[in-house]
Amino acid sequence: MSKINAHILGLISSYTTGEITKEQFTELQEWLNENSEHKQTFSNYLLLYKKTRRIHFVEKSDKDKAWNEIIQKLEKPFRYEDEAVISKVKRLKPLSGILKYAAVIILFIAMGYVFQQGFFTDNTEVISPTENITLQLDNGNIEIINEDGASQIIDAQGNVVGIRNGAQLVYNSDISLETLVYNTLTVPYGKRSKVQLSDGTVVNLNAGTSLRFPVKFIEGKDREVFIEGGEAYFDVTKDLKHPFIVNTEDIGIRVLGTQFNVSSYPEDQDISTVLIEGSVGIYDKNESYSLDNATLLEPGFKADWSKSNSNIDIKKADIEMHTAWINGKIILKHMPFDNIVKKLERHYNVEIINHDKALGKDLITASFDIETIEQVFEVINEIHPIDYTVDDRKIIIN
């Protein structure tokens, strides 16, 4: 593998952390285009990342030692059989200091943009940005959304279309567009995000959710957005002339102005809509909306749409339990453990393997907000004594 000098490493690190300037990015592009060896070096880093994507970084006192070890490993000839390229690193606690240049290891989370520019050959495998909140522009370019600081949201033509404050995006209402231009905000497991659309509608996105939405709604057209999996809470700005429509894989939800929560995770059997206030009409997405084929939902109720047979079941909803995630909480009320496993996996970005069939049927009542996954399992252990191990992001219950 070619040796990359410290200056280029700095550019890569700045790009990964979202701190790169336009001039720096141009320089990085030029380096990539200098020769095929640079492109191959990036390809090798990409494959290396695939083997080391679960790396954790050391505490501040061990930074230099860890960085030297990382560099030494990266500069060795790449071997596909390497299973553990970097070892003996301690788990980093939240808010601890990290080695800035070590961010190069996770560069390929953000390389969707570079791939769109043709820096890699067609047979290069691209790792999807599964560890960061991302924003995909209409032309396919992908940007990492940092969860601190503030910046402008720039479209593919260089126009300012909004602002970012942490993981919250706010789109301008006064931008001039004559055609619909879409962005896609994707939130991975373990994270949440929030976007204010150009009409003032606010959408909270839960872990494992993608929302495709227009940069600017167009006069005379319905306000349509699209959810791919996941869960979102909508506070829709009222506009009698322009109904707001949420499209999932199977259903459409049509509103004028209201607050509701929709959950459409691919592994769930139902698509659940909980109405907080206002009114919504739920209908089969393969049919055109009409009052005859839509099911109207009243505030305080939940509609479960079966993915298997398109039947809809309406019942009284526990609003607090279904919307607690907006504030980073998990509320469980008499819920079988088998049913809460995915909630915990999404919230904490972990994998849970349960071999305890009795635990799977146990009804759990608890609430969590600032607890770590280790503390969550300590609570579960008090309710139902279990034998379990926590290994990085994997919890195994024996």
Side-chain angles (χ1 to χ4, degrees):
M1 181 181 290
S2 297
K3 184 174 182 178
I4 302 179
N5 65 45
H7 178 66
I8 295 298
L9 285 174
L11 293 178
I12 294 172
S13 178
S14 295
Y15 178 83
T16 308
T17 59
E19 300 171 353
I20 196 167
T21 65
K22 183 178 181 180
E23 292 76 16
Q24 289 174 322
F25 186 71
T26 299
E27 186 178 356
L28 184 58
Q29 286 179 307
E30 292 173 350
W31 180 81
L32 287 167
N33 287 321
E34 279 179 3
N35 55 58
S36 60
E37 185 179 6
H38 289 173
K39 296 176 184 178
Q40 185 59 47
T41 298
F42 268 87
S43 297
N44 290 341
Y45 269 77
L46 180 62
L47 292 172
L48 181 61
Y49 166 72
K50 186 174 182 180
K51 290 291 186 182
T52 59
R53 62 186 303 155
R54 289 188 179 275
I55 287 175
H56 290 274
F57 300 108
V58 296
E59 299 289 351
K60 183 174 182 181
S61 60
D62 295 326
K63 284 181 179 180
D64 292 339
K65 179 180 177 182
W67 177 241
N68 290 334
E69 183 178 359
I70 289 170
I71 292 298
Q72 291 169 9
K73 293 293 183 181
L74 289 175
E75 291 176 354
K76 288 182 179 180
F78 182 79
R79 298 185 303 161
Y80 289 94
E81 63 269 21
D82 286 343
E83 289 295 332
V85 180
I86 298 172
S87 61
K88 297 180 182 179
V89 290
K90 298 177 182 179
R91 184 174 182 179
L92 174 67
K93 296 179 179 180
L95 303 182
S96 296
I98 65 172
L99 176 58
K100 179 179 178 181
Y101 283 173
V104 69
I105 303 301
I106 59 168
L107 166 68
F108 300 101
I109 292 170
M111 285 312 295
Y113 178 83
V114 179
F115 179 79
Q116 292 291 336
Q117 297 300 315
F119 296 154
F120 294 125
T121 56
D122 291 340
N123 62 353
T124 300
E125 181 183 1
V126 176
I127 301 298
S128 60
T130 56
E131 301 294 327
N132 293 280
I133 301 171
T134 61
L135 181 68
Q136 181 172 352
L137 305 183
D138 191 59
N139 67 351
N141 292 349
I142 296 177
E143 298 180 359
I144 298 296
I145 301 300
N146 291 323
E147 296 177 76
D148 55 6
S151 64
Q152 295 177 326
I153 304 172
I154 310 295
D155 67 11
Q157 288 72 44
N159 303 311
V160 178
V161 296
I163 59 172
R164 176 193 64 81
N165 185 7
Q168 178 175 338
L169 309 183
V170 178
Y171 280 77
N172 297 336
S173 60
D174 56 356
I175 57 177
S176 179
L177 288 175
E178 296 181 357
T179 58
L180 290 172
V181 176
Y182 286 89
N183 283 182
T184 301
L185 183 62
T186 300
V187 183
Y189 280 7
K191 298 183 184 296
R192 293 175 290 115
S193 187
K194 185 177 182 179
V195 57
Q196 179 175 309
L197 306 180
S198 64
D199 66 338
T201 293
V202 176
V203 188
N204 287 272
L205 302 180
N206 203 355
T209 307
S210 287
L211 176 71
R212 183 170 178 261
F213 58 92
V215 171
K216 174 69 182 292
F217 292 111
I218 303 298
E219 182 70 26
K221 293 183 178 293
D222 290 344
R223 299 173 291 165
E224 287 195 80
V225 300
F226 303 83
I227 289 182
E228 182 178 343
E231 184 172 26
Y233 181 93
F234 291 85
D235 187 351
V236 179
T237 299
K238 190 172 184 177
D239 183 346
L240 295 177
K241 295 181 180 179
H242 303 92
F244 193 96
I245 300 172
V246 178
N247 295 285
T248 72
E249 184 177 353
D250 296 291
I251 66 172
I253 305 170
R254 186 182 178 97
V255 304
L256 292 176
T258 186
Q259 295 182 38
F260 64 99
N261 190 84
V262 57
S263 180
S264 180
Y265 285 105
E267 62 271 16
D268 291 343
Q269 297 179 351
D270 299 324
I271 299 173
S272 298
T273 305
V274 177
L275 183 61
I276 286 78
E277 65 177 46
S279 64
V280 300
I282 302 169
Y283 60 99
D284 192 317
K285 204 179 78 168
N286 296 319
E287 301 179 6
S288 298
Y289 172 83
S290 71
L291 291 176
D292 293 332
N293 64 16
T295 299
L296 299 181
L297 194 61
E298 297 180 358
F301 284 82
K302 177 167 75 87
D304 291 325
W305 176 286
S306 172
K307 295 178 182 178
S308 60
N309 57 26
S310 299
N311 289 338
I312 190 166
D313 179 45
I314 298 177
K315 62 184 69 173
K316 191 73 174 176
D318 186 324
I319 301 297
E320 181 185 28
M321 186 172 66
H322 290 288
T323 60
W325 66 265
I326 299 171
N327 297 313
K329 297 180 180 180
I330 298 178
I331 295 180
L332 310 171
K333 296 183 179 180
H334 307 295
M335 185 177 295
F337 181 76
D338 279 345
N339 292 356
I340 72 172
V341 164
K342 289 306 298 184
K343 285 182 177 290
L344 295 176
E345 288 182 328
R346 297 164 189 155
H347 189 82
Y348 290 100
N349 190 19
V350 296
E351 179 185 3
I352 300 173
I353 301 174
N354 180 29
H355 299 297
D356 186 341
K357 294 183 179 180
L359 173 63
K361 296 180 175 59
D362 262 13
L363 300 179
I364 305 282
T365 297
S367 63
F368 307 103
D369 47 20
I370 62 173
E371 289 84 357
T372 64
I373 188 63
E374 291 87 353
Q375 291 170 330
V376 168
F377 268 82
E378 288 173 4
V379 172
I380 294 174
N381 191 36
E382 293 177 359
I383 299 173
H384 179 123
I386 54 177
D387 176 21
Y388 68 97
T389 58
V390 179
D391 180 15
D392 189 19
R393 290 181 178 176
K394 180 180 289 188
I395 296 94
I396 302 174
I397 305 170
N398 299 313

